Amino acid sequence: MQILVIGGGPAGMLAAGMAAQAGGTVCLAEKNEKTGMKLRITGKGRCNLTNACSHEDLLQNVVHNPQFLQSAFRGFSTEDVMRFMEAQGVPLKVERGNRVFPVSDRAEDVVKALRKWLDRSGVRVVKATAGRLIVRDGVLRGVQFGAKKVAADAVVLATGGMSYPQTGSTGDGYRMAAEVGHTIVTPRPSLVPLVCKERYNLAGLSLKNIGFSIQKDGKTIYTDFGEMLFTHDGVSGPVVLSASAHMQEEGKYRLSIDLKPALTEDMMDKRLLRDFEKYAKKDFVHALDDLLPKRLIETVVSKTGISPHKKAGSITRAERQAVSAVIKGFAMQVEGFRPIREAIVTAGGIETKEINPKTMESKLIRGLYFAGEIIDVDAYTGGFNLQIAFATGFAAGTAIGRRIRDEQQ
């Protein structure tokens, strides 16, 4: 049985290897010089390859169409991913938030191990750019590569989304699937920095242990706790990226940062009163040194509307409440997202209703399978998106493997 896998990312590599181990003649076509280009830069080059959480927690961290992934996650769980990688000679460690990394902190080690596994499994890897799918009578017959037609009994489309196009994710798969009748849910950025109206001189300032919330048209739609980062045109960091996944609909969005979530309003007032008494003879702008990061103080002071040169000892109760309101609700107006090419993942893609969730086979075209980011599923940061890639690739590869065994009997 001739199998073509289009795309050499984690989903494509898993699908190719599993199909080859079942006895298929497998060719993996990758447009880049090397496989796993995006994998090499995940987790800032450390490769957060899954999350050591329960099946239920895994589903809860999928933002769009989690139920579609029920079967795939049971077929190749987070534990299975970890066992698989360690069997390939990549020892792993679990860090904060159950994030799983190679002990070496090198994504390159994960890519090399997967490539060696492909070689041992008998997968032929070629550098080639697929042009279109060849379909006759509702059955996948092959793939067109430039002027060359390559026959195939099964094709796995694992071309990724549209984020980080320099790694090869340029949306080719969406076009190829649409040409044979598949519905494409409009691709959009997810896990992406936000652009804000305010331009504070805070780029590079990182905040830890903050409360974070997003309001849409006045209603709170997302809350979180953790780390964030100010950028030259807005905000980024873990809580911001996760929030962006919930901001896909039209509307006016506003973000609010609680700089001191451990303090209630009453506790905050007492703390401010104590600090202002301590620094009574100092200017207001110099009375917050014990409470806030130095780079943030001028911005907070300006947002209160109180003169920075007013003596701390003469700050009134009403003014104290204004300071507390800014610290507990540092607000910014969201204008939009950074471009999709800068997003960690792409939301949208192949409509899940048109895919068999157990096999990843198209319900429209026999012999056509999908795996990874090309499908309309996406999740939060923390290894969940790579888990989706591995699990859907495994599902497609093993489903093709069952077909091979059935035909051999």
Side-chain angles (χ1 to χ4, degrees), residues 21 31 35 108 121 142 179 207 214 241 290 313 343 351 408:
Q21 288 189 346
K31 63 161 73 169
T35 53
E108 189 70 25
S121 301
E179 286 172 350
L207 301 177
I214 293 287
L241 298 179
D290 295 350
E351 168 64 69
Q408 288 173 344

Side-chain angles (χ1 to χ4, degrees), residues 79-94:
E79 294 92 341
D80 292 330
V81 170
M82 293 170 72
R83 276 194 292 268
F84 171 78
M85 289 311 307
E86 293 199 314
Q88 307 316 314
V90 182
L92 304 175
K93 60 182 176 180
V94 180

Side-chain angles (χ1 to χ4, degrees), residues 209-211 225 258-264 328:
N209 303 320
I210 52 95
F225 174 86
D258 185 344
L259 298 169
K260 294 292 174 182
L263 300 181
T264 64
K328 296 290 290 178

Side-chain angles (χ1 to χ4, degrees), residues 276-295:
F276 292 163
E277 287 175 350
K278 179 180 177 182
Y279 297 113
K281 295 181 180 179
K282 285 194 172 187
D283 288 353
F284 169 43
V285 73
H286 299 304
L288 297 172
D289 290 358
D290 295 350
L291 189 62
L292 299 171
K294 274 191 165 49
R295 279 193 65 193

Side-chain angles (χ1 to χ4, degrees), residues 167-180:
T167 65
S169 299
T170 52
D172 301 352
Y174 301 140
R175 173 188 53 77
M176 293 167 70
E179 286 172 350
V180 297

